[in-house]
């Protein structure tokens, strides 16, 4: 096996699988958080953390 073919295999395994797996994990964390936020926003009595965050966003002004 020559150096170039070994480098190509290493690049493929390191970059494609490494970055692909990292992106999959980041997306699953994002999607799970998004689902939890949507669920919290539809509750009849919103959680205290949600009401505090919404109030803080309202008072911070249009700068955000």
């Amino acid at each position: 096996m020559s150096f170039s073919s070994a480098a190509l295999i290493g690049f493929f395994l390191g970059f494609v699988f490494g970055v692909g797996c990292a992106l999959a994990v980041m997306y699953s964390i994002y999607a799970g958080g998004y689902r939890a936020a949507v669920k919290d926003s539809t509750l009849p009595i919103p959680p205290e953390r949600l009401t505090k965050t919404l109030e803080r966003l309202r008072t911070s002004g249009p700068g955000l």
Side-chain angles (χ1 to χ4, degrees):
M1 179 182 286
S2 68
F3 176 74
S4 60
S5 61
L8 186 61
I9 292 171
F11 176 77
F12 179 77
L13 291 176
F15 184 74
V16 175
F17 284 127
V19 172
C21 289
L23 289 175
V25 168
M26 288 173 27
Y27 176 75
S28 66
I29 291 170
Y30 167 76
Y34 180 76
R35 277 190 293 254
V38 170
K39 186 179 96 177
D40 284 351
S41 69
T42 60
L43 292 174
I45 300 173
E48 182 181 343
R49 183 176 174 189
L50 176 62
T51 55
K52 284 183 179 181
T53 302
L54 289 174
E55 184 61 34
R56 195 171 6 148
L57 286 172
R58 286 187 193 108
T59 60
S60 66
L64 280 177

